[in-house]
Amino acid sequence: MLTFKRTIIAATVGLSMLSGAASAIALEPVEGLNVKQPYYAPENFVQQTNMPIVDIRGVQAADYAKIFETQIGEQVRRGIKEAKYVYQLAGIDFTQFEKQSEKVIENSRKLNPEYFVIVEALAKVGGISVEKMFTLSQLDAALASAAEASLRGCTTISFDGTGVVGQVNDTPSLSGGNYWVLQADDFIQVMASGFYGSGQTLGKDLGVVINFQGTDSKGVGLDSTMAIELGALQNYIVRHAKSVDEAVQILEKHRTVVASHFNFSDSQGGTVGVEMLMEGNYVIKRAAGIGHANHSERPGVMQDFAESVGMAEKSKQRTIATAYTEWRAEFAQLFIDNTPEGNIDAAKYVLNTKPIAQHAAYGSDFITTLTAVMDTKKGCMEVAPGVSEWNNFQEVCFNDQ
């Protein structure tokens, strides 16, 4: 995820899964969050203590809306309200952007009609049309189209040979506290902002997590025939790909609107990272697994970006303001390359460690709002709201019936 330059204060809005940094937007930290706290000794701050798990296994599609209303109706309506407010703050014409997003919804519905049955049920709960709710789920693309991006956000990891993949979800603090998990027969998917697919999805053979990329990269855009909404694309891949190699093949034809990196593990132990870029995908394969943050791993990209903002040499200022992503990616990869155990416990450990786990510091309210790890061999996902040492992981598995 990426965060925002602070020029306007908004006190009551939540953000989730954002890829741009609008110069017209800034968010006030949630009540009770100390943005001046020390970096290495954070205060315990929990926004969401437990995540609803909505089980639709064996449920008829006609009954989805009823189940959603009963179990997460308030989360859906809250997320929709907050997303609308962000469009307002950003000065984005929602009607115009809805029209611009028509190709994405057309592509997504055609690729993954099964997922749209779920989208339609959530829209019914939210009291809005599918088209409007789907456009609201494109908030990252809306802001990226009218904004200047900043390199800060999520970190993803995968361990080769073990089938383990995971990430921390990092956002401005007001985006936290509104996640839930959707458990179906052939996928388990985290839902963000109450109403749309987040970046953590597990299938019977494949697990995938995501981090957005910053100013160094561009996605295919709203008008592309390849453009698919994030949740719909992840859902399709884990239900149709049996291996990381098959996932790479799918992403040759389908991409996210904004530049994104997908980190995959499969039940055979394979790992791969795919940066989905406007000019073509950049595929990453490493012996021990893959650590990735918010910049492209293409040679020279990070240095070019630092020089473009006048911070060619590494320094505290550059680390905080422009290249914090470097530290997170390097730290994650160093751990992956050297840990003797690439299991779930190892994933939890590194994702809970500085600089990967985020909390408010240096005047910023940018924090870890979700930690997720998956064991594709076991068929289980474990999720914890916020920094995992402050919350218990909740395990969701395919074979728990």
Side-chain angles (χ1 to χ4, degrees):
M1 308 304 138
L2 302 182
T3 190
F4 299 93
K5 294 183 178 178
R6 285 169 157 63
T7 54
I8 292 179
I9 300 300
T12 59
V13 61
L15 287 173
S16 185
M17 296 294 295
L18 302 184
S19 66
S23 58
I25 301 176
L27 300 179
E28 188 174 85
V30 295
E31 185 178 354
L33 180 64
N34 175 16
V35 299
K36 304 292 186 181
Q37 60 187 293
Y39 181 72
Y40 288 107
E43 300 169 4
N44 188 325
F45 184 81
V46 177
Q47 290 178 274
Q48 184 177 4
T49 57
N50 126 86
M51 293 173 61
I53 298 171
V54 180
D55 191 346
I56 58 170
R57 290 175 294 179
V59 175
Q60 297 297 314
D63 295 325
Y64 286 170
K66 184 178 181 180
I67 290 176
F68 292 155
E69 175 61 45
T70 301
Q71 298 189 35
I72 41 85
E74 290 306 311
Q75 284 96 325
V76 172
R77 287 184 286 274
R78 170 189 155 196
I80 289 172
K81 180 180 179 181
E82 291 169 346
K84 286 180 178 179
Y85 191 50
V86 174
Y87 272 90
Q88 179 184 339
L89 285 175
I92 297 170
D93 186 322
F94 183 83
T95 302
Q96 181 181 3
F97 193 76
E98 183 179 4
K99 185 172 181 58
Q100 292 172 334
S101 301
E102 286 177 355
K103 190 68 177 177
V104 183
I105 190 170
E106 177 187 334
N107 295 342
S108 301
R109 193 194 297 269
K110 183 178 179 180
L111 176 70
N112 197 348
E114 297 89 352
Y115 182 74
F116 262 79
V117 174
I118 294 168
V119 174
E120 288 164 359
L122 289 169
K124 183 176 180 180
V125 171
I128 61 176
S129 69
V130 171
E131 291 75 18
K132 281 185 168 50
M133 194 184 77
F134 191 86
T135 302
L136 289 172
S137 75
Q138 296 294 301
L139 188 55
D140 59 300
L143 292 169
S145 69
E148 178 185 351
S150 173
L151 287 170
R152 305 185 64 171
C154 302
T155 308
T156 65
I157 60 169
S158 58
F159 297 109
D160 196 74
T162 67
V164 171
V165 62
Q167 80 167 101
V168 290
N169 218 31
D170 297 325
T171 66
S173 64
L174 283 167
S175 66
N178 201 11
Y179 294 101
W180 54 278
V181 179
L182 181 60
Q183 183 173 19
D185 292 315
D186 54 355
F187 71 88
I188 299 169
Q189 187 163 7
V190 177
M191 306 297 284
S193 278
F195 70 98
Y196 62 89
S198 185
Q200 309 83 28
T201 312
L202 177 66
K204 291 293 185 72
D205 299 288
L206 191 75
V208 58
V209 294
I210 190 175
N211 47 270
F212 290 115
Q213 295 176 213
T215 51
D216 61 76
S217 307
K218 291 185 178 180
V220 295
L222 292 165
D223 297 327
S224 173
T225 57
M226 305 175 80
I228 307 293
E229 186 266 339
L230 168 67
L233 181 55
Q234 281 205 349
N235 183 277
Y236 178 85
I237 292 172
V238 303
R239 290 191 297 106
H240 290 83
K242 302 296 183 184
S243 67
V244 296
D245 291 333
E246 290 184 11
V248 171
Q249 292 173 11
I250 290 173
L251 292 180
E252 287 299 319
K253 297 180 180 180
H254 308 289
R255 315 271 184 80
T256 50
V257 174
V258 297
S260 306
H261 170 259
F262 278 25
N263 203 337
F264 294 101
S265 282
D266 64 32
S267 57
Q268 293 81 46
T271 58
V272 71
V274 182
E275 294 182 1
M276 292 179 288
L277 313 172
M278 179 174 63
E279 62 273 24
N281 289 344
Y282 183 72
V283 178
I284 304 167
K285 288 221 173 193
R286 297 183 182 132
I290 298 155
H292 201 282
N294 297 108
H295 64 285
S296 174
E297 296 287 352
R298 291 168 295 167
V301 165
M302 195 64 248
Q303 184 66 22
D304 289 345
F305 176 75
E307 291 176 358
S308 74
V309 293
M311 296 181 183
E313 300 299 323
K314 287 192 176 182
S315 63
K316 178 179 179 180
Q317 183 184 9
R318 173 174 160 179
T319 298
I320 296 171
T322 67
Y324 198 71
T325 177
E326 281 184 291
W327 187 19
R328 288 185 286 107
E330 290 171 1
F331 185 92
Q333 192 62 50
L334 187 63
F335 181 88
I336 291 166
D337 290 342
N338 289 280
T339 181
E341 298 177 4
N343 55 24
I344 285 286
D345 289 337
K348 290 177 180 178
Y349 174 84
V350 70
L351 293 174
N352 193 49
T353 303
K354 302 296 177 189
I356 294 176
Q358 300 292 297
H359 73 278
Y362 304 121
S364 169
D365 74 328
F366 201 67
I367 65 174
T368 292
T369 54
L370 174 77
T371 305
V373 292
M374 305 175 207
D375 185 331
T376 60
K377 293 186 177 184
K378 186 180 176 183
C380 293
M381 176 191 292
E382 295 188 45
V383 290
V387 179
S388 58
E389 69 176 2
W390 295 339
N391 269 314
N392 293 323
F393 276 94
Q394 298 168 243
E395 186 179 60
V396 189
C397 300
F398 285 116
N399 61 356
D400 63 353
Q401 288 184 319

